[in-house]
Amino acid sequence: MVNREDCVIFKQEYGNELLVNQAHVGIRTKEDGMMSFNLRVPKDQINDIESYFKGFKIPEPILIDIACTGNIHCYFKGISPIIEKPEYSFISVTVQELKQEIVDEEQEIGIPAHECVGCGLH
């Protein structure tokens, strides 16, 4: 059984989730709320990950929960091509964090906000 507290959880608007162990995820923040989630995963996981993200439209809302700290509201911006190495596969997912006014509006309709507990993004 997967421990959700050890994962980065990507959530689609309709409830589909992808759990990736934090040990396989690197996060890079950029300007204007842009973030890259760099996934360096075992080769047997890459097809499921690619399929999950290919189901998104640009710019579709996506929620990201790092180690059960709460949802970060973002827009999906795209994925990189897969890089195959002998011992792992690599793919990068780019998102843009929603501005606070939009998050406040979403809270009014019942979508829980990101509750930061030292995730390093803020």
Side-chain angles (χ1 to χ4, degrees):
M1 175 148 188
V2 176
N3 184 353
R4 295 174 70 88
E5 291 180 358
D6 294 334
C7 294
V8 175
I9 306 167
F10 299 92
K11 304 174 186 179
Q12 275 185 300
E13 190 173 25
Y14 302 106
N16 294 335
E17 293 184 342
L18 174 70
L19 283 72
V20 181
N21 189 300
Q22 289 182 70
H24 302 299
V25 181
I27 303 170
R28 185 171 190 185
T29 59
K30 303 175 183 180
E31 292 181 23
D32 298 324
M34 298 293 283
M35 293 183 279
S36 292
F37 288 82
N38 302 314
L39 310 178
R40 183 180 172 189
V41 298
K43 293 178 139 321
D44 64 341
Q45 295 178 16
I46 196 66
N47 290 331
D48 292 338
I49 291 170
E50 182 184 36
S51 295
Y52 179 81
F53 286 110
K54 282 195 171 186
F56 278 88
K57 295 180 176 80
I58 299 173
E60 183 176 330
I62 182 171
L63 299 174
I64 302 168
D65 184 355
I66 301 169
C68 295
T69 58
N71 292 326
I72 302 169
H73 297 253
C74 300
Y75 283 125
F76 175 76
K77 293 294 190 174
I79 59 173
S80 70
I82 295 172
I83 297 172
E84 295 286 352
K85 297 290 184 179
E87 55 283 337
Y88 65 88
S89 297
F90 176 87
I91 192 167
S92 182
V93 179
T94 303
V95 299
Q96 184 171 23
E97 190 171 10
L98 284 137
K99 296 192 182 332
Q100 187 60 43
E101 312 84 70
I102 297 170
V103 173
D104 290 342
E105 183 178 302
E106 287 181 350
Q107 285 177 337
E108 289 178 19
I109 59 171
I111 299 172
H114 172 69
E115 296 173 14
C116 186
V117 290
C119 67
L121 296 176
H122 305 278

